[in-house]
Amino acid sequence: MKNQLLNQIKFFNTQKTKDYQFRINQLQKLKQTIIDNEEKITSALYKDLKKSEFESYTTEIGICLEEISYHIKHLKSWMKNQKVKNPIIFPLSESFIQSEPLGNILIISPWNYPFNLAISPLIGAISSGNCITIKPSEISIHTSKIIKEIIESTYNKEYINVILGGPQKTSKLLEQNFDYIFYTGSENVGKIILEKAAKNLTPTTLELGGKSPCIVDSSCDLDKTARRITFGKFLNCGQTCVAPDYLLVDKKIKIKLIKKIKENITKFYSTNIENSNDYGKIINVNHFNRLINYLDNQKIIFGGLHNKNKLFIEPTLININKKNINSKIMTEEIFGPILPIIEYTNIDDVIKIINSKPKPLAIYLFCNNKYIEKKVLSETSSGGVCINDTIVQLSNQELPFGGVGNSGFGKYHAKASFDLFSNKKSVFKNTTIFETPKRFPPYNKFSLKIIKKIFN
Ligand code: NAD
């Protein structure tokens, strides 16, 4: 492993990866290999998570192709030195910010969107001119194997390398001196990564999860709200970092909303959900057991059926009241198809509940009321906010994606990815034609007076 990184450092030092055309060629190669292997990727995603072809394309393959195209289109302008103003005491100087690659990047990715979450940061790391090591999840075993296969058939290991393995392998990797670590996964492992990175003073991005609340105000469009919540919660069987974790619903519309969510579940996945081609499965038995435990002593108002052999858990709605507000399901990230529902009568109580928990990755708000919208935006903190929809905030490449507080730090996607994997080198170039008077010793009262005037 050590030799492998040394080879990458050597390759980085050849300066090849910094060239604009080199970067474009590598992005084009990545695009082509993804297109060529679309079937294999789709089949691996089906084996790991029973993802439908449509979801595999929209949330994993297509989104990566779109990201690559965006980088190809904008890379030239992103790479340009960014001129900035000069101080008046150095009137003929030049100042600019140069984006230079950080060097050797380590990407550690999770199992829930196993292709997208390994490839999307890779795109940014390529476009900013780095060498890369990817450590995909050992849990989504089929997709991880395909990632290794297609990367190895497309690039030299000195440039991009894929290492398969679990926590032990990752620990060994973390002993190496990478220039940057990009980690997506759970909060607990995030802490381990950060601790190890600190030993080498390696800067790190942590893309974590948490409990993303979904507020439903009585002013919302109820039909669209129910449909969009059902989509965002049960996509990938609820195993989405930005899935609405729990609902906070205005008491006045709670019964109507629940009725409509139930109708949408049936519309989306039929009455025989277990056999629906559009409904995924839980990744493995450990996660299945973890999720089933959440159902203990809860008031299930819809769903709850499960089948361990098929790793199937029905979309499930749970009523939360004062008695179970502090149960495990309300303190841990659910990461599965179970949706707790809490009613409220006052938006201030909603804000209190959200602010009593760690800062989430996303807050969802369904409302057509400017006052409520403004209040939620200004009185809560989260990685992002999506109003009147779920998940689709990720479709806008102009919006950087990432968390805040316990949901992580560092933002990526499109330009934000290019910036994340670049060192923004500040360059100041003074003129030799002219000398700023009074700047050198011996100092006197007059020069101090002038300097004070300028500074003020
Ligand atoms: P995880 O933390 O268990 O695993 C992620 C990666 O870390 C894997 O590659 C794994 O091999 C490695 N790893 C696991 N244990 C390790 C250890 N002890 N030492 C070193 N490396 C270790 O996460 P997961 O279960 O794969 O993913 C689910 C979590 O990821 C959820 O909390 C979810 O919210 C979060 N997530 C966040 C985002 C985001 O973009 N913010 C996206 C997807 C998932």
Side-chain angles (χ1 to χ4, degrees):
M1 241 183 248
K2 202 169 182 177
N3 279 348
Q4 189 51 51
L5 181 62
L6 289 177
N7 287 341
Q8 285 205 330
I9 293 170
K10 231 188 205 171
F11 185 66
F12 181 74
N13 288 338
T14 62
Q15 310 293 330
K16 279 188 188 156
T17 65
K18 295 181 181 173
D19 177 60
Y20 165 73
Q21 199 51 51
F22 176 89
R23 302 186 201 190
I24 291 289
N25 291 348
Q26 309 318 311
L27 288 169
Q28 274 161 347
K29 269 175 127 174
L30 185 60
K31 192 171 180 180
Q32 196 54 50
T33 195
I34 294 174
I35 292 169
D36 293 346
N37 288 284
E38 191 186 319
E39 236 172 80
K40 277 189 188 169
I41 301 164
T42 308
S43 148
L45 288 165
Y46 186 81
K47 285 181 193 153
D48 284 328
L49 287 146
K50 194 176 160 266
K51 280 196 194 203
S52 66
E53 200 179 337
F54 186 88
E55 269 185 34
S56 286
Y57 193 81
T58 51
T59 66
E60 304 253 19
I61 300 167
I63 202 165
C64 287
L65 293 175
E66 194 187 20
E67 175 86 359
I68 297 172
S69 303
Y70 197 86
H71 280 254
I72 291 174
K73 186 171 172 199
H74 295 281
L75 187 57
K76 196 163 234 165
S77 71
W78 295 344
M79 281 178 71
K80 274 191 187 141
N81 290 340
Q82 192 190 324
K83 284 199 170 177
V84 294
K85 282 187 185 163
N86 296 302
I88 46 171
I89 50 168
F90 298 112
L92 298 181
S93 62
E94 255 179 73
S95 299
F96 59 91
I97 299 161
Q98 182 180 350
S99 295
E100 62 174 17
L102 292 168
N104 295 85
I105 311 286
L106 172 62
I107 295 170
I108 304 171
S109 56
W111 53 261
N112 62 329
Y113 288 86
F115 188 76
N116 177 353
L117 296 174
I119 301 300
S120 180
L122 172 70
I123 297 164
I126 291 176
S127 86
S128 40
N130 297 282
C131 291
I132 304 113
T133 300
I134 309 172
K135 211 301 290 171
S137 172
E138 72 284 10
I139 293 176
S140 46
I141 180 164
H142 298 98
T143 315
S144 298
K145 271 190 192 157
I146 290 293
I147 292 173
K148 188 171 171 67
E149 194 183 306
I150 66 173
I151 293 295
E152 285 186 351
S153 64
T154 312
Y155 302 110
N156 291 329
K157 281 188 175 178
E158 295 79 51
Y159 176 45
I160 304 176
N161 188 23
V162 179
I163 296 198
L164 298 183
Q168 259 187 339
K169 266 269 174 72
T170 319
S171 293
K172 279 252 171 300
L173 266 177
L174 290 166
E175 284 165 18
Q176 313 293 310
N177 209 344
F178 285 92
D179 294 296
Y180 201 89
I181 298 170
F182 184 95
Y183 167 81
T184 307
S186 61
E187 201 181 313
N188 284 343
V189 177
K191 286 178 190 166
I192 299 173
I193 305 285
L194 201 56
E195 208 178 314
K196 301 217 160 153
K199 290 209 170 112
N200 289 323
L201 278 182
T202 308
T204 303
T205 281
L206 297 182
E207 295 287 344
L208 310 177
K211 293 185 86 60
S212 295
C214 178
I215 308 163
V216 187
D217 178 63
S218 58
S219 66
C220 73
D221 175 326
L222 212 54
D223 282 335
K224 292 195 179 72
T225 300
R227 195 177 306 124
R228 292 172 187 185
I229 290 173
T230 310
F231 162 77
K233 179 66 191 185
F234 302 112
L235 177 82
N236 200 25
C237 234
Q239 301 165 116
T240 303
C241 58
V242 282
D245 187 273
Y246 60 100
L247 291 192
L248 293 151
V249 191
D250 190 321
K251 192 178 175 181
K252 293 197 276 287
I253 54 162
K254 182 182 166 193
I255 291 172
K256 277 190 203 155
L257 180 73
I258 291 172
K259 183 171 170 276
K260 283 184 188 291
I261 292 179
K262 287 180 190 172
E263 283 167 10
N264 276 294
I265 292 173
T266 310
K267 262 190 217 158
F268 286 7
Y269 309 115
S270 81
T271 44
N272 183 4
I273 305 176
E274 197 170 334
N275 290 321
S276 163
N277 291 330
D278 297 321
Y279 189 67
K281 71 170 182 74
I282 305 305
I283 183 78
N284 60 21
V285 175
N286 290 346
H287 281 278
F288 179 91
N289 290 338
R290 178 184 65 78
L291 288 161
I292 294 302
N293 274 338
Y294 285 141
L295 301 180
D296 273 357
N297 301 321
Q298 298 291 354
K299 191 174 174 225
I300 296 176
I301 48 181
F302 181 84
L305 289 179
H306 46 273
N307 177 345
K308 202 172 192 162
N309 289 333
K310 286 172 118 181
L311 296 172
F312 164 75
I313 299 178
E314 204 177 15
T316 300
L317 310 180
I318 283 181
N319 192 50
I320 298 285
N321 52 34
K322 276 187 188 145
K323 273 191 206 152
N324 53 359
I325 188 94
N326 292 318
S327 58
K328 256 182 155 178
I329 202 168
M330 282 311 298
T331 51
E332 294 176 1
E333 178 184 12
I334 299 170
F335 218 54
I338 305 170
L339 183 61
I341 302 172
I342 305 167
E343 66 179 37
Y344 70 84
T345 46
N346 187 331
I347 192 69
D348 287 314
D349 294 338
V350 167
I351 288 171
K352 258 188 220 150
I353 292 175
I354 294 174
N355 289 345
S356 71
K357 296 181 186 297
K359 291 179 184 177
L361 193 54
I363 290 178
Y364 295 104
L365 170 65
F366 286 87
C367 84
N368 281 305
N369 176 325
K370 282 260 179 269
Y371 167 78
I372 301 271
E373 186 180 314
K374 211 168 158 191
K375 193 168 170 71
V376 170
L377 284 176
S378 69
E379 294 183 19
T380 64
S381 177
S382 56
V385 174
C386 179
I387 300 166
N388 288 328
D389 215 322
T390 61
I391 316 284
V392 294
Q393 68 270 31
L394 272 86
S395 67
N396 187 347
Q397 288 166 312
E398 301 291 326
L399 290 174
F401 174 74
V404 57
N406 287 39
S407 52
F409 48 82
K411 306 255 178 186
Y412 78 127
H413 288 176
K415 169 84 160 54
S417 290
F418 176 84
D419 290 340
L420 187 80
F421 294 116
S422 299
N423 171 38
K424 299 287 166 182
K425 187 158 75 181
S426 297
V427 182
F428 180 81
K429 183 178 173 189
N430 207 350
T431 179
T432 51
I433 301 171
F434 163 85
E435 195 70 279
T436 304
K438 307 287 177 203
R439 64 174 275 209
F440 299 109
Y443 306 120
N444 59 39
K445 284 229 155 51
F446 178 65
S447 45
L448 183 61
K449 210 171 158 186
I450 292 174
I451 283 294
K452 278 188 174 176
K453 262 213 161 122
I454 291 169
F455 278 20
N456 279 316

